[in-house]
Amino acid sequence: MAAKMHIEGLRADGSGLPLAERAAFAVNGFLAALAALCLVRETAPDRARWSLAASTGMSEIVAALRAADHDAPGEIPAAVLARAAAEAVRWNLVDRQAPDADSWRMLGDLFIDAQEGGDMQVTGESGAVAREYLRAIAYHAAALDQLPLKTGFAVARLIELLLPLLLLTHEDTEAALYVVDVVQRGIPVRLAWSFLSSGWCFVTVPAADMLSDVHGGFARGQLPPGLKGMDSEVLRAGVVHLRRQWSACPPVRRYRRYPLDVRLSIVRGYNEAMHLLADDAAEGVAAGAGAWWITDLSRGGVGALTLRNTRSSVPVSGDLVAFCPEEGTKWHIGVVRRVRTSKSYVEIGIATLSERPDLVQVDDGRIPRELCFCDPVRRGEAVRLLGPVGALGDNTPLFVVVDGRAHKLRPLASTLRGRSFDLRVYRIA
């Protein structure tokens, strides 16, 4: 309804306002409406419905702006069109949709038209269109799909503040997180540490340094003027998340990904995964049904897709999954880090926790139980343990017997709580 209202205002020729002002008001007004209508208490189903409505509304506003620009060329400022396209990128990401090629093509056209020949670097202060192009890439690089809606709004505010510090450069640099082929109006591609690619490189190091300063300011009760009035806990979560994504050591691809066309079996949930590890491998592969196809594979994980109308349950971000490639005989364990949907497919990215998970009986001095070891047991080294929710929450040492030798496991760090599991690191004595 908010989108329709602002589209009607955009088309209101008799309002007395020029088209440029009506266009800017439609974009800014709809964004303000989304902020005001953000869910107070977020559940997964409510978030899915809300984010879909927001994404659909933003796409309708972009379509209305493009139609108006077609009818009256040059009257709508390029910066307004670029801002609308950047926000369409944002809300597609929040809705966990696949990147929209049309939005990036529109942004690329506007960016190229606004650029002066020979520029080797572009910052958020290089011009209004460049600023919006950087905003779109910043959204793409912010992992908005992993955040609650309120935290996502905080991250968007942070990106607004950090735009002058973001950089696009043609120069080769190891500091680049993403590369984008503007000439081909491409979608930004995340870089592995092991290689660079031609195109414009997206650099966030100066922005990450400022995020560190903002984070330090929390302890002193200080915030930049542009962030005052925000919920401090939500803002803190946004700062921590964005700093992690953009820091000098971000969670980038450590290993190059290679295309592959092989079927994949996926089973979600801790209990279901552990049942497969305890069962016969051949029976387990049949249970997975092989409804997925591997799209790319690396040492650190796997990308896969399935038809959107599949009857099998689709994992969500944070799910623990067991997965086994076609003709494989060994289940791997991983966590879903990325989910993207398109009209025809659902695509996921899985970070591998263990290629050789092993169910081992441990004892805490009260009751023996089976836990999943992600790493081999070697005296003096660390081992990651998986258990059901609540199983690894206290600091009680564990005892395990491997190859006839008893070992004591001392907890090293706090428990990481997943959707159906606990993960904790122990030192083997």
Side-chain angles (χ1 to χ4, degrees), residues 360-394:
V360 179
Q361 185 166 290
V362 301
D363 197 326
D364 61 2
R366 294 170 294 184
I367 184 172
R369 53 186 169 175
E370 280 192 326
L371 296 176
C372 179
F373 281 58
C374 296
D375 309 291
V377 176
R378 297 190 180 99
R379 186 179 296 275
E381 296 189 8
V383 62
R384 294 166 299 159
L385 266 62
L386 280 168
V389 171
L392 306 176
D394 57 30

Side-chain angles (χ1 to χ4, degrees), residues 271-295:
N271 291 332
E272 292 78 4
M274 297 306 107
H275 174 73
L276 292 177
L277 296 184
D279 203 353
D280 180 75
E283 294 181 6
V285 171
W292 295 77
W293 288 266
I294 296 177
T295 56

Side-chain angles (χ1 to χ4, degrees), residues 257-266 290-298 301-306 323-328 332 346-348 350:
R257 298 191 176 188
Y258 297 93
L260 199 63
D261 185 14
V262 173
R263 292 177 72 89
L264 184 73
S265 298
I266 297 177
W292 295 77
W293 288 266
I294 296 177
T295 56
D296 56 75
L297 185 68
S298 76
V302 61
L305 61 81
T306 190
F323 59 99
C324 182
E326 183 179 22
E327 299 180 357
H332 300 180
V346 177
E347 183 179 1
I348 63 173
I350 303 172

Side-chain angles (χ1 to χ4, degrees), residues 311-333:
R311 294 183 180 181
S312 60
S313 177
V314 175
V316 299
S317 181
D319 267 346
L320 185 79
V321 294
F323 59 99
C324 182
E326 183 179 22
E327 299 180 357
T329 59
K330 186 70 174 178
W331 286 96
H332 300 180
I333 296 294

